[in-house]
Amino acid sequence: MATGSPAYTWLDDALETIHRAHWHRHPQSITQGPGPEIELEGQRLVNFASNDYLGLTSHPDLKAAAIKAIADWGTGSTGSRLLSGHRLLHKELEQAIAQWKGTEAALVFSSGYLANLGTITALVGKRDLILADEYNHSSLKRGAQLSGAKVINYGHGCPEVLTDLLVKHRDHHRRCLILSDGVFSMDGDLCPLPQLVAIAEEFQSMLLVDDAHGTGTMGKMGTGCREHFQLPVGDWIQVGTLSKALGSLGGYVAGSASLVDFLRNRAATWIYTTGLSPADTAAALAAIELIQREPERIAQLQLNVDYLAKGLEGLAKLNFRRSPINSPILWVGATNPAMALEMAKHLREQGIFAPAIRPPTVPHSRLRFSVMATHSPGHIDQLLETLDRYYLD
Ligand SMILES: *Cc1c(COP(=O)(O)O)cnc(C)c1O
């Protein structure tokens, strides 16, 4: 409650503005989960709002690994890895990520957000140039701002615009860094990776691709967009998260041994923060081992995505246009934020949990559906039937 101190009254005014624009949000309490079905504030719902794409968060192997790590190492990591020493587990996880991704090395941060902030601010500064896809994730945008480099956005997924900007600006700067999501978190489409790699090489620019949603979901082995496009590993920078398909917490950077050694010495969000907890580290390691042992989970996810996408295409009123490449993120548009909220509310009443995504997160309001490998055909049918009825009424 406001205490009445005039220094803080602007907070209530600001909140009022947020409410009026239908932008206000607050988290809801899950009373049972995680999984394709959850209980949200007492109501049983089919869950299309989770990043746990492979359903690993509740897998017995991950739970057992986390419990064992706590038994062996305790609950905390006790300090910065440089000053306090890291656990063998940290090293094992980094080696496992590098081996899985096919890179020389990898470095684990406490979250994907921190991996982006730390990496971008270490790689570029005032004399440098950043070219960024306009739809990039908040962590790439904030990292770019914080770095002090000159930041220019290019049109979403548009290599031609990127090239024009490089022709115009590249020579006026020392280093250049191109930033893009791999799978875009709100649109579910992929960056034009083969073109980005070629352009980066042509203009002597670094390229960082954030595969938070591609990790564990794209490519047969789930190593991400690079595998999907069947590109060689190269020396560009692959960022990802342990917090989505891998069912744990943390972020990683995978690339050359020099890159990783440099980041260990220059990335402030890695140096000045406590290492990932033993339980999170062990769970992520177990997830990577599991995916490699049982890649059929990823194939199942891709089948489920295909099933939902075909179903959405079949609902004529929806105007759903399927992209040529399907990530586990699908969405249908709403004409405005209030309508997106109303659709989400209607689905919720019918037993379906799917978030309304509104400005400022995206320019155009929508309902977003995140598909899981553990959704049954019945779960997906329930979503499709509910949408069908909504558009008939
Ligand atoms: C979720 C996400 C992140 C943040 O990852 P966390 O590990 O949750 O901090 C970074 N980038 C993108 C594109 C994301 O979708």
Side-chain angles (χ1 to χ4, degrees):
M1 261 334 283
T3 55
S5 164
Y8 301 98
T9 50
W10 70 269
L11 285 171
D12 294 316
D13 298 341
L15 278 169
E16 174 61 30
T17 306
I18 295 171
H19 273 290
R20 245 184 291 126
H22 296 286
W23 285 8
H24 187 262
R25 300 180 286 189
H26 67 96
Q28 309 177 62
S29 304
I30 292 186
T31 41
Q32 224 179 77
E37 289 183 25
I38 53 167
E39 200 181 280
L40 197 70
E41 295 176 345
Q43 189 194 359
R44 193 126 199 98
L45 295 167
V46 182
N47 189 9
F48 286 96
S50 172
N51 295 324
D52 183 19
Y53 297 117
L54 298 173
L56 295 188
T57 313
S58 48
H59 194 283
D61 287 9
L62 273 73
K63 289 188 194 176
I67 291 166
K68 181 171 186 312
I70 291 174
D72 290 350
W73 295 101
T75 50
S77 283
T78 73
S80 154
R81 287 168 59 184
L82 281 183
L83 292 183
S84 310
H86 65 186
R87 311 288 178 268
L88 200 55
L89 270 177
H90 290 131
K91 206 165 129 185
E92 285 171 2
L93 174 58
E94 284 166 349
Q95 282 169 347
I97 293 170
Q99 181 257 326
W100 180 49
K101 303 273 297 181
T103 56
E104 281 177 14
L107 188 66
V108 168
F109 290 69
S110 303
S111 76
Y113 207 109
L114 290 172
N116 279 328
L117 291 190
T119 303
I120 297 166
T121 53
L123 293 177
V124 289
K126 283 204 175 64
R127 297 158 62 194
D128 305 320
L129 174 66
I130 286 179
L131 290 167
D133 188 289
E134 62 179 338
Y135 283 7
N136 277 348
H137 187 260
S138 159
S139 53
L140 293 174
K141 292 191 165 155
R142 291 289 156 138
Q145 279 169 1
L146 271 178
S147 74
K150 180 176 175 65
V151 183
I152 306 176
N153 287 334
Y154 61 88
H156 175 53
C158 192
E160 294 79 17
V161 178
L162 172 62
T163 304
D164 289 348
L165 288 168
L166 279 161
V167 168
K168 197 161 157 212
H169 297 279
R170 175 68 188 96
D171 285 349
H172 308 303
H173 299 272
R174 181 183 57 166
R175 301 179 197 138
C176 176
L177 174 64
I178 300 167
L179 294 177
S180 180
D181 282 21
V183 173
F184 284 83
S185 50
M186 296 301 146
D187 292 77
D189 56 342
L190 268 66
C191 73
L193 188 59
Q195 289 92 325
L196 294 186
V197 170
I199 292 169
E201 195 169 305
E202 183 185 344
F203 289 91
Q204 286 185 34
S205 298
M206 298 177 282
L207 169 65
L208 183 158
V209 175
D210 176 1
D211 232 346
H213 290 276
T215 305
T217 70
M218 301 306 297
K220 258 203 174 75
M221 295 306 289
T223 65
C225 292
R226 184 203 61 76
E227 188 193 346
H228 172 86
F229 286 109
Q230 302 194 331
L231 292 170
V233 169
D235 53 6
W236 45 282
I237 302 156
Q238 304 187 51
V239 174
T241 183
L242 309 172
S243 329
K244 290 177 173 140
L246 298 182
S248 182
L249 183 69
Y252 68 81
V253 177
S256 71
S258 321
L259 170 76
V260 166
D261 199 20
F262 176 79
L263 291 177
R264 275 196 295 254
N265 288 279
R266 282 288 182 274
T269 63
W270 187 81
I271 299 170
Y272 301 104
T273 193
T274 304
L276 202 62
S277 83
D280 293 322
T281 313
L285 183 57
I288 290 170
E289 289 168 357
L290 184 74
I291 290 181
Q292 288 175 286
R293 211 166 53 237
E294 300 175 10
E296 54 273 21
R297 247 165 251 283
I298 300 159
Q300 183 60 50
L301 173 66
Q302 290 161 355
L303 284 176
N304 285 358
V305 170
D306 189 58
Y307 186 67
L308 177 58
K310 284 209 177 92
L312 291 172
E313 275 182 321
L315 302 179
K317 289 242 171 62
L318 263 184
N319 253 332
F320 173 79
R321 263 175 306 143
R322 180 177 188 167
S323 73
I325 304 159
N326 282 305
S327 77
I329 301 166
L330 299 172
W331 58 277
V332 296
T335 34
N336 55 55
M339 185 196 164
L341 280 180
E342 200 216 276
M343 285 168 71
K345 185 165 160 266
H346 176 82
L347 289 186
R348 174 91 179 256
E349 284 161 6
Q350 304 297 314
I352 292 197
F353 186 36
I357 314 274
R358 290 163 281 160
T361 312
V362 288
H364 305 291
S365 299
R366 67 196 63 180
L367 273 189
R368 186 179 71 164
F369 311 115
S370 301
V371 181
M372 298 172 71
T374 45
H375 280 134
S376 67
H379 290 139
I380 296 171
D381 287 339
Q382 191 182 334
L383 170 61
L384 290 168
E385 282 156 21
T386 309
L387 283 170
D388 196 23
R389 279 200 306 273
Y390 180 78
Y391 281 95
L392 279 181
D393 291 346

